[in-house]
Every structure is written in C-alpha cells, then in structure tokens.
Amino acid sequence: MDIVIVSAVIASLFLVIGAAEPLAARLRLPFTVILAVLGILIGSGAIFFLRTDLTDALNPVAEAILGLPISSNVFLYVFLPTLLFQATLGMNLRRMLDDWVPIMVLAVVAVVVATLSVGYALSWASTLPLVACLLIGAIVSTTDPSAVVSIFRSISAPRRLSRIIEGESLLNDAAAIALFGLFMGFVMMGVPDPRLGEALGQFPILIAGGALTGWLAARVAVWIMALFRAHELAMISVSVALPYLAYIGSEQVVGASGVIAVVAAGLTLNLTGPGRLPPQAWANLGEVWDLLAHWAGALIFILAALLIPRLLEGVRLSDFVLLGVVILAALAARAVVLFGLLPLLTLMRVSPHVERPYRTAILWGGLRGAVTLALALAVTESIWVPGEVKRLVGILATGFTLFTLLVQGTTLRAVIGWLGLDQLSPIDEAMSRQVIAVSLQTVREDVARTTEDYALTHDVVRAEAKAFGERLEQAVKAAEDSDDILDRDRITLGLIALAGFERYTILARVRERTISARMAEQTLLDADRLIEGARAGGRNGYQRAARRSVAYGPGFRVAGLLRRRFGLSGPLVRMTADRFELLLSQRLTLRDLDAFIEGRIRRIHGRRVADLLLELLARRIEMVETALDGLRLQYPGYAEELERRFIRRTALRLEEREYAAMREDGLIGAEVFTTLMQDLATRRAQAEHRPPLDIAVQRLELIRQFPLFSDLDDKTLRQLSRALKTRYVNAGNIALHKNRPVRSVYFIASGAVEVESAGQTWRLGRGEMFGQIAILMKKARRAEARAIAPTTLLVLDVARFRALLNRSAALRDAVRASAEKRGLDPNQILAPADP
C-alpha cells in the first residue's frame, strides 16, 4: 500500500474530525453521532467505488481506506488506554467519592444486570449457547454517555447528576470489558453453559490484580516525574507512557484487567500529581491529555464506523428479531436499575435523589459506541470462535450500536425538551439575572479604569458611560424586582454567588502560589460543596458544607488508631499538617469575602440578605479560628512556621512580577532574566517544602497552658502528658453519652462543648473539664455532652484522675466550682479525694 495515499487518508480523517464538531453543533446532534454517520458514509463509499464499474480512478483511495490496519487490538491497546486515562485525570475524584454509591450502581451493577438480561433473553429467543449470549450481553452493556453529559451541561443540569454519569462512563467500560474477557475465554474453550457463580467469582480477581498493577505503575511514574520536575516535557512524556505500560503489564504479565489497571493508574496520578509536580507543569500535562483524548476518541469512533458496512454483511431477516430482543432487554435492564434500584438507594439515604425526568433522560441517553464495536470486532477476528457466533455477534452488536446512535442519539435533545429539562427554573432565571447585574458592575469598573489610562475624549466617555449606566440600572432592577423569587430563594442566590466568588478567589490564590498546589484541590472541593449545598439546601445546606470543611474526617480516627495500636505516626502527621495548611488557606480566603458581600450582594439583594450573609461568614471565620486555635495549642510554633512560609511565597511571587516587568520594559536582557528566574525557582522550591511536624512532644506544651495543671511540677506534667489521650470530636457529635459506665474525665483543649443534665444546660470552653462529677460521686453518667464546634479533647482515665486530684489544688478548686454550679455539695464530692 502506497504510504503517500495512506498518509493522505489519515490526514483527511483529521479534516473530517475537525469538520464534525461544528457540524454537530449546527445540527444540534451529539458529536459521536455525526462521527458515526460520516464513518459509515466513508466506508460505504469506499466499498461502492471499489465494486462499481463506473470509474477506477478512486480505486487506490478506496483500497487504502478499506485496507487500513484496523483491528480490535488497535482499539484496545492504542486508543482505549488514552481515553480512560484522560477521563481519570479530568475527574474531580474527591467529589466523585461523595457519590460513589450511585456511580458504582450504574457502572457495575447496571452492567451485570444488562449482561444477564440480554444474555438470558437471547438464549431464550435463539439457538445460541448461553455463554455466547452472555458474551453479546457483555459487549452491548457498556455505554457512552458523552452525549447526555454534554446536553446536561448545556441545560445547566445539577453538577452532581453530570458527575454521576461521568463516573459511570469511566467505570462501566472497565466492568464490561472485564466481563467480556471472562465470557470470551469460555467461548474459545468451547464451554457452552458455564456456571454463572464460578464465572462471576473470577471477576473480583481480575479487578484486584488490575487495580494493584495500575497503582504500583503510577507510584513509580510519579516518583520518576518528581525527579524530572525541572523538565516539563520529560514529565509529560512519562505520563504518556504510563497508561500503556500499565495496560500491557496487567494484561500480558499479571493476567488481570488492563482497563482496571489504566483506571487505577489515572486515579493515583490524579490524587498524587498535584502535590508532587509544579502547578504549571500539571496544568500543561492536563491540556496535552485533553488533546490526545479528543483525537483518540474521534479516531476510534470514525475508524470503528468504517467497519460497520462489513460487519453487517450477510444479515438475515431473522436477525432483526434477535436485534429487537437485544434492544428491549438492554433498555429494560437499564430501566430496572434507574427506576427500581436508584430510588431504593435514595430511600436508604446512600444515594442522592435523581428526579424522574433526569432518570428518563439517562435511560434514553445510554448510547453505545466505539468500545462496543471494538469488542465485537475482537470476536469476529478470533479463529477459536464458531462462525455463526461471530456472525451474530457482529450483526447484533453493530445493529444495536446503530439503533442507539441513529434513533436514541438523534432524538435525545427532543426527549429532553419533552421532559422540560431545557427550561430554567425560576431560581435559575433569577441567577442569570444576578450574574448579568454583577458582571456589568465589574465591567463598568474596568471600563472606567481603561478610559482613565488612555485619556479618551471626555464627551465620548460620558455618552458611553451614560448608555452603559442605563443598561446596568436595568439589570440591577431586574435582579431586585423578581416578584416570583421568595426571600428564602434570594438568600440561596446570595450564598451561591458568595461560594462562587470564594472559588474564584481560591483559583486566583493558586495562580499566585499563595495557596499551595497541595491544598488547591481540597479548598476547591470545599468551595464546590458550598455551591452545591446552597443550591440543594439553601442556608442549611451551605452551613452543613461549611461545618464539613473544618470538621475532622474519619481518616483522623483511622490515623489515630494506627498510631496508638501500631506506633505508625506518618499518616497522623501528614493529615495534621494538611489540616493546619488547609485552615490557614481557608482563613486567607474568607477574609476577602466581606468586600464582595458589601460591594455586590448588598446592591442586588438588599441590606437584609447582605447582613445575613455577613453573619454566616463571621460564623465560618469563627469556626476556622477555633479549629486553628486548637491546633496551635497542641503544636505551638507550627502555625507560625506555616505563616512564615506563606510570607516567603508571597515575597517570591512579587519578586517574580518585578523581574517580568523589568524584562518587558527592556531594563534587563534575556540572559540576566533567565539567571534571575533560575535563582528564583531554586528558592521557590525550597519555600514549597512544609516544615516538619512533631506530634510526639507537643502535648506537654499543651498541658502546660492548662490553668487546671498550673501547680504541677515538671515531672508530674511529663507523666500526665504520657497518660492523656487525644480525641477529636466534630461539631454536632456526642462526646459523652448518658447512662454509660464511668471510665474517663475529659479536658477541653480547643473548641466548645454543651453539657445537658437534669434539664439544665452548660456550655464549656477551652481549659474546662467534664465527666468528673460522675466519677467522684460513683454514679452512672446522667449528663450528655455534645460538641458545638470542632473540638479537641484530652482524655484521662479514672485512676490517674483520682491520683492527680490528690496532687493538684487547682484541679480540686475547679471540681468544687463545677459542683457548686450544678447545686451540689462540693465537700461531699471531694471528701473521698481529700488526704
């Protein structure tokens, strides 16, 4: 085959890809549908010109098109790793984890249900062996929801819903291909009726082996990329090699799922890369992978579509009946999951509520694509598969793919319109008016500065300013005069805008490197949760998200357990240091939000809404300061080191700006600028390193600050520091339950606790204790203590508390005061402890 013609054909395919996107936008059809149609037309045209007697001039081109080395291995080993790897890099993984239940249901359970449904339906309607029918079910069970996701984004569907569909698209390919490999092995070995339990029992082994291989490959790749951090192109090259080596290693060496290995490798790099690689290099790496994935996705679709005319050769009338069975069984299986299992999970409060119109759109938007065709092609290429099985697999998989693309894909937007999902809700319309008003205010300020800088004609400026001012006044009035928006909704709109500005501020801080790349993802995640919390639950949803951003997660409990039981301090040190830096980053961001409320929110929503938002902001700042104070008490000096690090990073950013300005003004040449920037990069790398945190010796310093222990000598204090245990309690959680056995006394190191006993309530703060009355009176606890802020407690067992009470007069005075507050006789309580 002439290399010139082949090169021309491949270049022409890129022209087709370039034309398909604007054509899809103009026709308002999914991009993949346009690619499939163009691929079918090109393949059919090549067959026509090669067989026709009209002309032989185009025969070399037709032969080149039909002779392209398109095989299933090209799809599975060249294109698929690129698509899967880029999808994992572009995911907001931590937000996906919030919705892991519905994602796993759609991605794994739905694939298994569809495989079994299609397999058993075909087995009933055809003479094929059960294993061949299950193989067809696995092939058609993978979905390509890119069409429904793109449409959901265009109609401003909830982010959470789009995120669930994106998670499904990533993981269901892995599940379907793993099942395909399982049943393909049975077909090639000639096992007509495998034991389903035994077959599915191998499924976890394939997944676990692939996940371990991908994780290990990614860890090695991240280590190498960190060594190459000064060479951006080298880091990107290593990332390109990673998915292919993980895929091949898992498939050929380990004998596990290569798809799972690629997914695990991408997720590992997604989690560890931002903290280990320079921010700009990480951003450029993502852009390179976006482009590679765009090309790979388009090529795999159009090349697979070229094969459709050949795969449909030899179709019979009876095959259409079997195709109808496949279509009905696949839609029924997906409907059972969407309308049966998902609502059940919602009732169990493990899945977000997905409204019926959205579930209907997801059902109709479950298009099949290139992966289905590639798997069908792999079957037709195998010499170990019986001929009739190969013929039916090719026809049914191709026919089902065409049905989803040409019927469901072309009508999906109409279905969404029929469901009313393309109409903005009243609150979204109000949001759009608010966005216009806020944007125009910003534009006016920027235009005013521009006119001053360029000294434009006064009359022209005044005329334009008047016209713009009228438009701005109309926009603000439209935002203020929304009669169909309740005050509650105005507060929600204000909170959404506030959280959106917080996210914008975080991004600006990350670009300035004031907030480290390590904290960027977590702070942005918290901002996204604030936005979604406000949209879903208004003020209460916003406050829940705010409390979660400063709360101790379950990871802290696990890290503390590892340290206490096994002496592993590394996880607790790392998580504590991350918490320190996260709280400092939050405090830095929150200080900038009051100006936004005063300057923007007050003008649009009025004084009452603005004052309420200022109050909520003050509460958030107080929560952050309380949590930060608790850490400062435990680890004195560490916060100051982080603040010094922040100042150094800020100074370096300003220094870089000055060098760039001098370079642009011609004050320094390229050689001098390069030398200065190299020195700056060295100092910046040093400034990025976090100071070490020693969690072992800090407790003694914390105890010294307690007024209750002020009269203890150093030896007793050291003994006490070893005896006390640290416990973290999130706001709203119970620290001390009623009617529980008496085992400990609790000292509040930071935060606040509300104690309820006999209908009375007391609030205790830093330096106070609770639980001592029940111990001294030798009665079951009648009090319940609940944290009202993120709280750090120091816990002391009964025996050590009694011994300490005999030594410390200050502690006895505190016990006496707490007894008097409760109306108890302090002498009676302290009598057993008196010498």
Side-chain angles (χ1 to χ4, degrees):
M1 189 181 297
D2 191 346
I3 188 63
V4 176
I5 296 178
V6 173
S7 300
V9 169
I10 294 175
S12 300
L13 290 180
F14 274 93
L15 284 177
V16 171
I17 292 170
E21 190 169 6
L23 180 61
R26 186 175 184 84
L27 297 178
R28 295 174 61 82
L29 290 173
F31 178 54
T32 52
V33 172
I34 298 297
L35 285 177
V37 170
L38 292 176
I40 293 171
L41 292 176
I42 294 171
S44 302
I47 294 175
F48 171 78
F49 282 112
L50 194 62
R51 295 178 179 177
T52 186
D53 295 330
L54 296 177
T55 179
D56 294 333
L58 296 177
N59 282 3
V61 177
E63 290 175 352
I65 292 173
L66 298 177
L68 287 174
I70 306 173
S71 66
S72 60
N73 282 341
V74 172
F75 293 131
L76 298 177
Y77 280 87
V78 177
F79 295 123
L80 190 61
T82 301
L83 293 175
L84 293 174
F85 192 73
Q86 186 275 335
T88 58
L89 288 183
M91 287 173 58
N92 189 334
L93 184 57
R94 288 184 171 85
R95 295 300 286 128
M96 291 283 185
L97 291 177
D98 291 343
D99 300 311
W100 71 272
V101 172
I103 288 174
M104 294 302 294
V105 167
L106 286 174
V108 179
V109 177
V111 166
V112 174
V113 171
T115 299
L116 298 179
S117 174
V118 173
Y120 280 101
L122 268 181
S123 177
W124 172 76
S126 71
T127 58
L128 288 174
L130 176 61
V131 68
C133 297
L134 292 172
L135 177 65
I136 295 174
I139 290 173
V140 302
S141 62
T142 178
T143 60
D144 176 20
S146 57
V148 71
V149 169
S150 63
I151 294 177
F152 277 177
R153 288 175 176 171
S154 68
I155 63 174
S156 300
R159 289 188 191 177
R160 199 173 191 184
L161 184 59
S162 299
R163 195 164 54 241
I164 290 172
I165 304 304
E166 287 175 328
E168 177 204 12
S169 70
L170 175 67
L171 297 178
N172 70 3
D173 284 348
I177 292 173
L179 284 176
F180 165 81
L182 196 63
F183 293 123
M184 184 69 171
F186 286 123
V187 170
M188 292 190 296
M189 289 187 296
V191 180
D193 191 8
R195 293 181 179 177
L196 195 57
E198 180 182 344
L200 294 179
Q202 300 179 31
F203 192 50
I205 300 175
L206 296 174
I207 293 178
L212 182 61
T213 303
W215 175 81
L216 184 61
R219 297 295 297 182
V220 173
V222 170
W223 177 73
I224 296 173
M225 293 165 73
L227 294 178
F228 297 164
R229 61 181 300 119
H231 306 280
E232 185 175 305
L233 296 180
M235 288 188 291
I236 295 175
S237 300
V238 172
S239 76
V240 172
L242 172 59
Y244 296 100
L245 294 178
Y247 190 94
I248 295 171
S250 182
E251 289 276 344
Q252 304 298 325
V253 179
V254 180
S257 170
V259 176
I260 296 292
V262 173
V263 171
L267 295 178
T268 303
L269 182 60
N270 188 338
L271 281 173
T272 59
R276 299 288 302 277
L277 307 180
Q280 190 58 46
W282 178 254
N284 292 339
L285 184 147
E287 292 177 0
V288 169
W289 273 104
D290 287 343
L291 181 60
L292 290 175
H294 176 72
W295 286 342
L299 284 173
I300 191 175
F301 231 105
I302 201 166
L303 291 175
L306 290 175
L307 301 173
I308 288 178
R310 279 180 279 173
L311 290 172
L312 291 179
E313 288 181 347
V315 64
R316 303 169 188 168
L317 187 61
S318 60
D319 296 335
F320 287 98
V321 177
L322 296 181
L323 178 60
V325 171
V326 172
I327 293 172
L328 292 176
L331 289 176
R334 195 163 176 82
V336 166
V337 173
L338 288 170
F339 293 93
L341 188 55
L342 269 186
L344 179 62
L345 294 175
T346 302
L347 289 176
M348 297 170 61
R349 298 185 178 181
V350 295
S351 172
H353 175 65
V354 181
E355 296 178 357
R356 182 179 293 273
Y358 285 113
R359 280 181 276 152
T360 305
I362 295 172
L363 171 65
W364 197 246
L367 309 185
R368 271 58 170 181
V371 174
T372 298
L373 295 177
L375 297 179
L377 182 61
V379 176
T380 61
E381 291 173 350
S382 175
I383 61 175
W384 304 103
V385 178
E388 180 62 13
V389 173
K390 289 198 288 188
R391 188 188 73 83
L392 278 177
V393 166
I395 290 173
L396 294 180
T398 305
F400 184 61
T401 301
L402 287 177
F403 172 81
T404 63
L405 290 173
L406 302 182
V407 178
Q408 292 178 234
T410 56
T411 59
L412 179 58
R413 192 174 289 273
V415 169
I416 286 178
W418 173 70
L419 293 170
L421 297 178
D422 57 346
Q423 302 295 323
L424 289 178
S425 64
I427 192 169
D428 285 329
E429 291 181 358
M431 171 64 76
S432 67
R433 291 193 290 269
Q434 181 191 38
V435 168
I436 293 173
V438 172
S439 300
L440 289 181
Q441 290 185 64
T442 304
V443 170
R444 183 181 65 175
E445 295 167 2
D446 292 342
V447 169
R449 283 193 295 269
T450 302
T451 56
E452 292 177 3
D453 293 341
Y454 291 95
L456 300 179
T457 305
H458 179 69
D459 292 339
V460 173
V461 171
R462 185 172 58 183
E464 290 299 315
K466 181 179 179 181
F468 191 86
E470 292 174 353
R471 184 186 173 199
L472 174 60
E473 185 178 352
Q474 292 174 356
V476 173
K477 190 174 186 302
E480 291 176 342
D481 296 342
S482 300
D483 294 333
D484 53 345
I485 300 299
L486 303 175
D487 285 346
R488 179 183 66 251
D489 293 331
R490 290 186 181 277
I491 294 171
T492 299
L493 289 173
L495 290 172
I496 294 172
L498 182 63
F501 182 75
E502 182 173 345
R503 194 180 196 282
Y504 169 81
T505 304
I506 292 169
L507 288 172
R509 298 293 189 190
V510 172
R511 286 191 295 267
E512 296 172 354
R513 302 189 183 182
T514 305
I515 295 178
S516 68
R518 188 187 190 99
M519 286 296 104
E521 187 175 4
Q522 182 61 47
T523 51
L524 289 173
L525 170 63
D526 290 336
D528 288 339
R529 283 176 174 155
L530 288 169
I531 294 172
E532 294 187 17
R535 288 189 68 93
R539 185 196 311 183
N540 292 333
Y542 180 89
Q543 289 178 309
R544 281 194 299 270
R547 287 193 296 269
R548 181 176 180 178
S549 68
V550 298
Y552 289 100
F556 264 95
R557 290 192 290 273
V558 175
L561 181 65
L562 289 174
R563 182 171 182 268
R564 290 192 302 271
R565 295 288 179 85
F566 306 104
L568 299 176
S569 299
L572 185 59
V573 170
R574 183 169 59 253
M575 294 181 69
T576 303
D578 285 345
R579 180 170 173 79
F580 248 123
E581 189 169 358
L582 177 65
L583 292 172
L584 285 172
S585 300
Q586 287 181 343
R587 188 182 67 172
L588 176 69
T589 304
L590 292 176
R591 296 292 182 182
D592 294 335
L593 300 185
D594 54 349
F596 176 80
I597 297 174
E598 293 288 356
R600 304 285 180 84
I601 302 297
R602 188 180 295 275
R603 290 198 57 183
I604 296 173
H605 293 294
R607 176 174 296 179
R608 197 182 72 83
V609 174
D611 290 344
L612 179 60
L613 264 58
L614 286 172
E615 180 183 347
L616 292 176
L617 179 61
R619 291 180 186 174
R620 285 191 62 195
I621 294 175
E622 183 181 358
M623 283 194 299
V624 171
E625 293 288 0
T626 299
L628 200 52
D629 286 343
L631 289 175
R632 282 198 179 101
L633 282 169
Q634 289 178 269
Y635 312 108
Y638 188 75
E640 287 74 11
E641 288 298 323
L642 288 180
E643 289 174 352
R644 289 192 184 95
R645 176 171 170 253
F646 162 71
I647 294 172
R648 287 194 292 269
R649 286 206 306 252
T650 302
L652 289 170
R653 174 176 57 84
L654 297 175
E655 186 177 350
E656 180 182 18
R657 187 184 66 184
E658 290 300 315
Y659 292 158
M662 292 180 182
R663 176 74 177 89
E664 292 175 1
D665 294 339
L667 299 177
I668 56 176
E671 296 82 0
V672 175
F673 179 73
T674 302
T675 302
L676 292 173
M677 293 304 293
Q678 289 175 346
D679 175 66
L680 189 68
T682 302
R683 287 184 285 128
R684 174 168 280 147
Q686 295 172 350
E688 286 297 323
H689 289 294
R690 230 169 23 191
L693 173 62
D694 184 0
I695 63 173
V697 300
Q698 304 298 321
R699 191 178 298 160
L700 179 59
E701 297 300 323
L702 172 61
I703 294 171
R704 291 183 191 276
Q705 299 179 39
F706 263 78
L708 299 179
F709 310 137
S710 59
D711 57 348
L712 298 179
D713 56 44
D714 287 345
K715 180 181 178 181
T716 305
L717 285 174
R718 284 192 293 271
Q719 292 174 346
L720 182 60
S721 69
R722 291 191 294 268
L724 285 167
K725 296 180 180 179
T726 305
R727 180 181 170 190
Y728 308 104
V729 185
N730 286 332
N733 290 353
I734 296 176
L736 183 67
H737 292 267
K738 285 184 179 180
N739 301 321
R740 293 286 179 87
V742 180
R743 293 195 180 98
S744 306
V745 176
Y746 300 85
F747 300 90
I748 303 174
S750 67
V753 171
E754 189 173 76
V755 179
E756 182 181 351
S757 177
Q760 294 181 301
T761 301
W762 300 273
R763 287 195 172 185
L764 307 177
R766 171 186 161 192
E768 297 185 276
M769 62 180 167
F770 58 92
Q772 74 281 2
I773 300 296
I775 286 177
L776 295 175
M777 295 183 69
K778 298 181 180 180
K779 294 182 179 180
R781 290 192 181 110
R782 297 178 181 176
E784 180 177 86
R786 184 186 301 272
I788 57 177
T791 301
T792 303
L793 300 174
L794 297 179
V795 185
L796 190 63
D797 62 69
V798 174
R800 288 188 174 92
F801 174 72
R802 288 187 177 278
L804 184 63
L805 193 62
N806 290 327
R807 293 188 180 186
S808 173
L811 187 58
R812 288 197 297 273
D813 291 340
V815 171
R816 183 176 287 106
S818 64
E820 291 174 349
K821 184 185 296 185
R822 290 165 173 77
L824 302 173
D825 183 3
N827 295 323
Q828 182 180 359
I829 292 175
L830 288 171
D834 288 336

